[in-house]
Amino acid sequence: EAGVAQSPRYKIIEKRQSVAFWCNPISGHATLYWYQQILGQGPKLLIQFQNNGVVDDSQLPKDRFSAERLKGVDSTLKIQPAKLEDSAVYLCASSLEGYYQETQYFGPGTRLLVL
Amino acid sequence: QKEVEQDPGPLSVPEGAIVSLNCTYSNSAFQYFMWYRQYSRKGPELLMYTYSSGNKEDGRFTAQVDKSSKYISLFIRDSQPSDSATYLCAMSARGNYQLIWGAGTKLIIKP
């Protein structure tokens, strides 16, 4: 079974530039999560999708971050414009149905450095 | 005060030692407790999952929950260099899908 795929693996940009990350979840998983993990901290949920719909985006900085899930499968997270404090690893995860006790399967993450 | 507290380490122990990793939490509504392992430059992977109080054992790993003290532990017996990773605790309340994560403890097992 293929795991969660993410690209790119690394990205370096200057502040005020824009950047986009892509995620392909495990086939058949209805729920997709985007997390931000700053060095030395646990993952912070940015947005959760259930199929096409948004379940929770309460911690997504909506003035600069946006996300979409195409046809309930792939997802893209965009930052525009980027700030220095956006430097982090962006993790995508998926789970079968999104219940609270379900296992979340993580991709390798995209490391973003904003200069 | 954070909802979940976890010592960041690093914790360095010799190969073969018993390792104890811990988290404390403040929300008494938490009922689902998980331990994830994260290798360098990888995403977290679920290691152990426990519901409510008690112990759960899986090979060399034992997860323990003490709800009265709001304290959870992960024990690793006969530790191996391949156990070197960051261990993250995560928990959630019944009816609330969102996981609350600890900051992670970096574990180093010296050969």
Side-chain angles (χ1 to χ4, degrees), chain A residues 9 37 42 48 56 103 111, chain B residues 38 41 43 46 95 97-98 102:
Chain A
R9 292 296 309 275
Q37 187 175 26
Q48 178 180 343
D56 184 357
T103 300
R111 290 180 172 268
Chain B
Q38 186 173 24
R41 301 187 185 279
L46 183 66
Y97 51 81
Q98 189 172 134

Side-chain angles (χ1 to χ4, degrees), chain A residues 88-100:
Chain A
V89 177
Y90 290 84
L91 295 163
C92 179
S94 70
S95 66
L96 197 57
E97 296 184 20
Y99 295 128
Y100 34 85

Side-chain angles (χ1 to χ4, degrees), chain B residues 26-96:
Chain B
S26 56
N27 188 345
S28 58
F30 288 148
Q31 287 191 305
Y32 298 91
F33 303 94
M34 296 154 200
W35 286 96
Y36 279 77
R37 177 175 62 193
Q38 186 173 24
Y39 289 114
S40 181
R41 301 187 185 279
K42 301 282 188 182
E45 58 177 339
L46 183 66
L47 197 58
M48 299 280 287
Y49 158 69
T50 311
Y51 170 68
S52 194
S53 285
N55 292 1
K56 186 173 183 179
E57 190 172 319
D58 184 2
R60 297 185 295 112
F61 299 88
T62 300
Q64 197 171 77
V65 175
D66 181 349
K67 291 193 73 181
S68 61
S69 302
K70 298 190 181 69
Y71 189 88
I72 68 171
S73 300
L74 178 71
F75 298 97
I76 307 174
R77 291 184 299 280
D78 187 25
S79 56
Q80 305 294 311
S82 58
D83 295 327
S84 297
T86 295
Y87 290 79
L88 297 143
C89 63
M91 47 198 80
S92 66
R94 185 174 182 82
N96 187 336

Side-chain angles (χ1 to χ4, degrees), chain A:
Chain A
E1 179 183 78
V4 176
Q6 288 188 249
S7 68
R9 292 296 309 275
Y10 305 92
K11 193 74 178 179
I12 300 174
I13 62 172
E14 295 189 350
K15 60 183 179 184
R16 291 188 289 274
Q17 285 187 324
S18 62
V19 65
F21 313 128
W22 172 83
C23 173
N24 182 238
I26 292 174
S27 177
H29 280 195
T31 307
L32 186 147
Y33 313 79
W34 281 103
Y35 287 93
Q36 180 192 59
Q37 187 175 26
I38 292 173
L39 188 65
Q41 298 183 19
K44 170 188 165 185
L45 180 68
L46 293 176
I47 189 167
Q48 178 180 343
F49 291 97
Q50 183 79 8
N51 296 309
N52 284 338
V54 175
V55 175
D56 184 357
D57 63 357
S58 58
Q59 299 191 91
L60 186 74
K62 297 181 186 64
D63 57 334
R64 298 184 301 107
F65 286 64
S66 64
E68 61 178 1
R69 189 174 185 193
L70 308 172
K71 299 180 181 178
V73 182
D74 292 8
S75 178
T76 304
L77 177 70
K78 296 179 182 177
I79 308 175
Q80 181 179 14
K83 292 185 175 182
L84 297 177
E85 58 261 36
D86 298 332
S87 294
V89 177
Y90 290 84
L91 295 163
C92 179
S94 70
S95 66
L96 197 57
E97 296 184 20
Y99 295 128
Y100 34 85
Q101 71 274 37
E102 267 189 351
T103 300
Q104 295 185 22
Y105 296 88
F106 285 81
T110 296
R111 290 180 172 268
L112 174 67
L113 179 60
V114 182
L115 302 175

